[in-house]
Amino acid sequence: MAFVSSGYNPEKPMENRITDIGPRHFEEFYPPAVKANKGKWLYHEILEPGVLVHVSETGDELYTVRTGGCRLMSVSHIREICEIADKHCGGYVRFTTRNNIEFMVDSKDKVKPLVDDLMSRKQDGGCYKFPVGGTGAGITNIIHTQGWIHCHTPATDASGPVKATMDVLFDDFRDMRLPAHLRVSLACCLNMCGAVHCSDIAILGYHRKPPMLDHEYLDKMCEIPLAIAACPTAAIKPSKIKLDNGTEVKSVAVNEERCMFCGNCYTMCPSMPLADDVGDGIVIMAGGKVSNRITAPKFSKVVVAFIPNEPPRWPKVTDTIKQIVEAYAKGANKYERLGEWAERIGWERFFEACELDFTHHLIDDFRDPAYYTWRQTSNFKF
């Protein structure tokens, strides 16, 4: 009866259909120049920081203006982006994987009005809404995770340290003075949805204390078997606990020596919170990359074992990152990524050049079968 009352005819399923299931085809959203020249692009160049040109074998040119975007956007901010795209680019706009916003125009005379418009727009506090840059041998947008805004396991904030760090590195976003491009990322906990394992410089939130246990409510709020099963190191086991009033309740016990402070248990059980104002802080990692260019991809290494959270501006974190960037800019060869520079001069001299203290916490002695079996790369040399 539902089919009949809705007017659906199973014999003619496409009759009077006004929509379809799933997203529309992506080619509908291509700018005309992209759609007409797909597969025909000959080369691209960076004309100035934040401005690129792609040239096709047909002679067509596509100019891209890249601006820094933010990880969390308000509706009004997105509407302003759409307004700019409608005004200058025929309504076409795209986002990069690092949250940059790219506006595309099909002739060079449209570039300057677009850049001038973008750089004229500022927040009430005076900072740029849409700074143009983030290309070539400079610092592109910092990608980050949720932080304190809407994640339940962070050891640090995300938007706060990223804003503070980008303020310090902003000149290198607008310029291309570095030996090669520099990727900076932030993950607010070890679960790491922020690509910090493979970034030139990485900011990682780190818990140093095991979860607290609210025995009185744990059995009422949690499925104990799920909390136990969520632990990747088998540090949690069932336990019976006697409360102060003499009542015995079902709960869990945590083997602190096995705990790696990941927060998976808190994901399954709200009565096992991990956040702690003293135990939580930031680790700085360096030397990672995804690219196969010159050398194989690399994992980041810990270079500063712990920095306490210092909101709202995180001064020690930003000072440390600035030290590393300046040492890299001064000491690396052209086209050399930060990790390649560190390996060429030796990690001991890297610490000296960056004025970082080396402690026993930074010794990397982990070796596992995966260290060898997963070390596969498509890197090659002629």
Side-chain angles (χ1 to χ4, degrees), residues 181-240:
H181 57 256
L182 192 76
R183 304 289 193 227
V184 183
S185 304
L186 181 146
C188 47
C189 79
L190 279 169
N191 291 313
M192 203 170 63
C193 49
V196 297
H197 62 290
C198 55
S199 298
D200 294 284
I201 298 175
I203 308 164
L204 173 63
Y206 182 58
H207 297 288
R208 296 188 299 172
K209 294 186 177 182
M212 295 169 274
L213 302 173
D214 189 350
H215 296 296
E216 183 178 357
Y217 295 101
L218 196 141
D219 189 33
K220 300 180 180 70
M221 299 182 69
C222 313
E223 293 284 352
I224 289 178
L226 294 182
I228 294 170
C231 182
T233 60
I236 304 172
K237 64 180 182 179
S239 178
K240 291 186 177 180

Side-chain angles (χ1 to χ4, degrees), residues 90 94 180 227 251 255 293 338 340:
R94 67 185 176 202
S251 186
N255 181 345
R293 189 179 175 280
L338 190 142
E340 294 164 349

Side-chain angles (χ1 to χ4, degrees), residues 60-330:
D60 289 348
E61 295 178 337
L62 180 71
Y63 293 85
T64 301
V65 178
R66 176 180 291 180
T67 75
C70 44
R71 170 73 163 73
L72 303 169
M73 296 186 181
S74 65
V75 172
S76 59
H77 190 73
I78 295 171
R79 283 177 176 159
E80 189 168 358
I81 293 170
C82 295
E83 172 206 321
I84 296 167
D86 288 337
K87 180 179 177 181
H88 295 278
C89 315
Y92 293 97
V93 65
R94 67 185 176 202
F95 293 83
T96 73
T97 54
R98 299 190 73 87
N99 305 318
N100 295 294
I101 309 160
E102 293 189 343
F103 299 95
M104 295 152 287
V105 293
D106 55 10
S107 65
K108 191 171 185 177
D109 59 348
K110 296 179 183 179
V111 172
K112 190 175 186 306
L114 173 57
V115 172
D116 291 344
D117 187 5
L118 291 166
M119 293 300 291
S120 70
R121 298 174 185 250
K122 294 189 176 183
Q123 304 283 9
D124 293 338
C127 64
Y128 294 102
K129 281 186 179 180
F130 305 103
V132 176
T135 55
I139 291 172
T140 188
N141 218 7
I142 301 177
I143 55 170
H144 66 85
T145 51
Q146 322 298 330
W148 290 333
I149 290 180
H150 59 81
C151 182
H152 61 281
T153 59
T156 189
D157 191 23
S159 303
V162 163
K163 165 63 175 166
T165 301
M166 206 59 185
D167 284 348
V168 170
L169 302 180
F170 183 71
D171 289 344
D172 285 318
F173 178 82
R174 295 272 296 139
D175 198 0
M176 296 191 295
R177 71 175 179 112
L178 299 178
H181 57 256
L182 192 76
R183 304 289 193 227
V184 183
S185 304
L186 181 146
C188 47
C189 79
L190 279 169
N191 291 313
M192 203 170 63
C193 49
V196 297
H197 62 290
C198 55
S199 298
D200 294 284
I201 298 175
I203 308 164
L204 173 63
Y206 182 58
H207 297 288
R208 296 188 299 172
K209 294 186 177 182
M212 295 169 274
L213 302 173
D214 189 350
H215 296 296
E216 183 178 357
Y217 295 101
L218 196 141
D219 189 33
K220 300 180 180 70
M221 299 182 69
C222 313
E223 293 284 352
I224 289 178
L226 294 182
I228 294 170
C231 182
T233 60
I236 304 172
K237 64 180 182 179
S239 178
K240 291 186 177 180
I241 303 294
K242 187 168 287 190
L243 303 177
D244 293 339
N245 61 10
T247 307
E248 188 175 79
V249 295
K250 293 179 180 177
S251 186
V252 299
V254 176
N255 181 345
E256 295 188 10
E257 291 184 359
R258 294 185 67 91
C259 179
M260 70 178 203
F261 322 124
C262 67
N264 276 4
C265 53
Y266 181 57
T267 302
M268 304 306 298
C269 181
S271 289
M272 300 180 68
L274 199 66
D276 181 87
D277 60 341
V278 176
D280 293 355
I282 285 174
V283 170
I284 303 293
M285 304 172 74
K289 69 166 194 164
V290 175
S291 168
N292 261 309
R293 189 179 175 280
I294 300 179
T295 59
K298 305 176 189 298
F299 284 123
S300 308
K301 296 179 182 292
V302 175
V303 296
V304 180
F306 189 80
I307 300 175
N309 280 316
E310 299 172 303
R313 299 299 299 176
W314 279 267
K316 190 170 182 183
V317 170
T318 56
D319 289 349
T320 302
I321 292 173
K322 184 66 173 176
Q323 283 175 213
I324 296 172
V325 172
E326 290 302 325
Y328 167 63
K330 182 180 178 182

Side-chain angles (χ1 to χ4, degrees), residues 33-43 55-60:
V34 173
K35 192 167 186 177
N37 293 282
K38 190 172 182 182
K40 301 176 184 178
W41 299 107
L42 289 177
Y43 65 92
V55 179
S56 169
E57 61 188 28
T58 65
D60 289 348

